Amino acid sequence: MRPGPGQGHFRRLRGRRPEPGHGRQTADHDDHRSGLHRVAGPLHDGHHLREDVTSLRGPVFGRDPLSSPSALSQERFSRIPCTLHPVFLSTRLATTLPQLQRLIGGRRPFLCTEAKLAKTLEPVLRQLSHSLGHPTLVTFVGGERSKNRATKERLEDSLLRAGAGRDAVLVALGGGLVSDIAGFTAGTLMRGVPYINLPTTLLALVDASIGGKTGVNTPAGKNLVGLFHPPLAVLGALDLLNTLPRSEFRSGLAECLKHGAGLDAGLLAWMAERSPEGLRRNREELFHLVTTSSALKCRIVDEDPAERTGRRNILNLGHTLGHAIELLSGYRVSHGSAVAAGLCWEGACAVVQGYL
């Protein structure tokens, strides 16, 4: 059978070394420490940017590689009411894997993530590999300054070289940046293929991965080019947050505060009685926070899925100034920190004008 577009290159990625100068691959070697077969993508525009296409193989690092002493006393699983797309939350990734398998069905899975996350989350990748039958891993250089059209183009090229076709399903493993870029790519690849979000940050878990908004930044501002392309589902697991730095955890709390300030005074009061470190350590309360906050986001998204009525604008609370801070800082200020500053500024304005 004649291979489809990119499949010839994909076979070489999995085995035989390409001839010198053939195609656009620049290296082919086996990583014997991890058991991964890795192929480096091309350099572009003089920048040391690389996309890796990897066939996930090798042993799984145990049944539950992300166990934590702060884990819940009992396993939890919850489906958040959301008409636009399902949102499943659990305490452990292992609990959501059967659902992930059902969603993928007979499609060919491609795991998309940032290159640096692929190293941090290697045990997760092993677990997913074992569950999904050795999917293809495609990585790209992350960071907010790389959230642009050029990065999306390179991701598309990597997927096509790996043989992605109409039967593909992208699995976005990472924070909001990954779901934005992978979701946008899924919406245009082959004129639209499905994708699934597996958020690994609190911010993505309660906000960025929900609602189907995808896109990239431009010199004119954040998220100005993109699509409304809802995922097949969002599958969240608290154990994916175990490696999250404290600063990133606090960044996610800003979006939870936004939901409380704009939609649920009870949630805002509940959060005011707790410290960020306390929520980080108490997984019972963290699960409550995540389910409550994501449910608020889902409610608004269902009321205005494509931002046509103005109802969804309430989810931009704190973002007007926040986006300006991010842009002017050259994205050195994180999204959550910028939104937190925006919430304070907008709250102060509301007090001065007599609304609060």
Side-chain angles (χ1 to χ4, degrees):
M1 181 180 296
R2 185 177 180 180
Q7 290 179 347
H9 286 296
F10 179 67
R11 283 202 296 271
R12 281 190 284 273
L13 298 183
R14 294 178 66 96
R16 182 166 57 88
R17 183 184 300 275
E19 298 176 4
H22 180 79
R24 302 185 68 181
Q25 285 76 30
T26 60
D28 185 5
H29 63 276
D30 287 318
D31 188 335
H32 297 289
R33 292 172 299 174
S34 64
L36 301 181
H37 183 68
R38 183 175 296 277
V39 176
L43 299 178
H44 292 269
D45 304 326
H47 298 290
H48 296 289
L49 300 178
R50 190 176 78 174
E51 292 74 51
D52 286 339
V53 181
T54 303
S55 175
L56 292 177
R57 298 179 296 191
V60 181
F61 289 3
R63 295 179 60 188
D64 187 13
L66 294 182
S67 59
S68 167
S70 61
L72 286 168
S73 58
Q74 59 181 344
E75 195 167 312
R76 298 283 186 86
F77 182 85
S78 178
R79 175 167 180 163
I80 306 300
C82 190
T83 303
L84 186 63
H85 58 74
V87 177
F88 300 98
L89 299 175
S90 67
T91 54
R92 296 170 60 244
L93 175 63
T95 308
T96 66
L97 289 179
Q99 187 65 44
L100 179 60
Q101 292 169 333
R102 285 191 291 271
L103 287 166
I104 291 175
R107 290 183 172 273
R108 183 179 170 192
F110 291 82
L111 283 171
C112 299
T113 191
E114 296 181 55
K116 64 179 181 180
L117 280 179
K119 298 178 181 179
T120 304
L121 298 176
E122 187 172 1
V124 178
L125 295 177
R126 295 297 184 196
Q127 198 173 13
L128 291 171
S129 172
H130 179 72
S131 175
L132 303 181
H134 312 308
T136 302
L137 172 67
V138 182
T139 65
F140 57 91
V141 175
E144 193 69 25
R145 281 179 281 187
S146 296
K147 184 183 171 183
N148 52 43
R149 286 168 284 192
T151 297
K152 176 180 179 285
E153 180 182 347
R154 288 189 285 269
L155 177 58
E156 290 166 342
D157 289 344
S158 294
L159 287 164
L160 292 172
R161 284 198 307 271
R166 293 187 182 277
D167 64 340
V169 56
L170 307 190
V171 180
L173 178 69
L177 181 144
V178 174
S179 61
D180 276 0
I181 295 180
F184 190 12
T185 301
T188 57
L189 187 72
M190 298 293 169
R191 295 184 176 86
V193 298
Y195 72 106
I196 300 165
N197 282 332
L198 264 64
T200 62
T201 68
L202 180 60
L203 190 151
L205 188 57
V206 301
D207 189 76
S209 67
I210 299 171
K213 287 175 69 171
T214 71
V216 295
N217 304 333
T218 74
K222 278 179 61 70
N223 301 323
L224 295 183
V225 177
L227 294 171
F228 286 97
H229 185 49
L232 285 179
V234 176
L235 302 177
L238 289 192
D239 60 0
L240 291 179
L241 306 182
N242 286 348
T243 59
L244 196 64
R246 283 178 170 79
S247 59
E248 287 296 321
F249 185 81
R250 288 174 177 265
S251 185
L253 289 178
E255 294 288 358
C256 298
L257 286 170
K258 176 198 75 177
H259 292 153
L263 299 167
D264 189 339
L267 173 62
L268 189 63
W270 184 87
M271 291 186 67
E273 296 173 352
R274 289 156 176 83
S275 68
E277 190 60 28
L279 287 170
R280 181 184 175 89
R281 292 180 178 277
N282 188 326
R283 291 305 172 99
E284 294 280 356
E285 292 194 338
L286 180 58
F287 191 79
H288 171 73
L289 174 64
V290 168
T291 53
T292 302
S293 189
S294 57
L296 291 170
K297 171 73 180 277
C298 286
R299 190 184 82 197
I300 301 302
V301 163
D302 280 344
E303 293 177 9
D304 187 16
E307 291 188 336
R308 299 190 186 280
T309 68
R311 176 58 173 154
R312 194 162 169 169
N313 289 344
I314 196 169
L315 297 175
N316 292 329
L317 184 64
H319 285 61
T320 301
L321 180 64
H323 283 178
I325 292 173
E326 287 183 85
L327 183 62
L328 292 174
S329 72
Y331 299 107
R332 286 185 292 272
V333 176
S334 71
H335 178 70
S337 297
V339 168
L343 288 171
C344 292
W345 178 76
E346 291 178 15
C349 289
V351 170
V352 170
Q353 296 181 24
Y355 293 107
L356 290 177

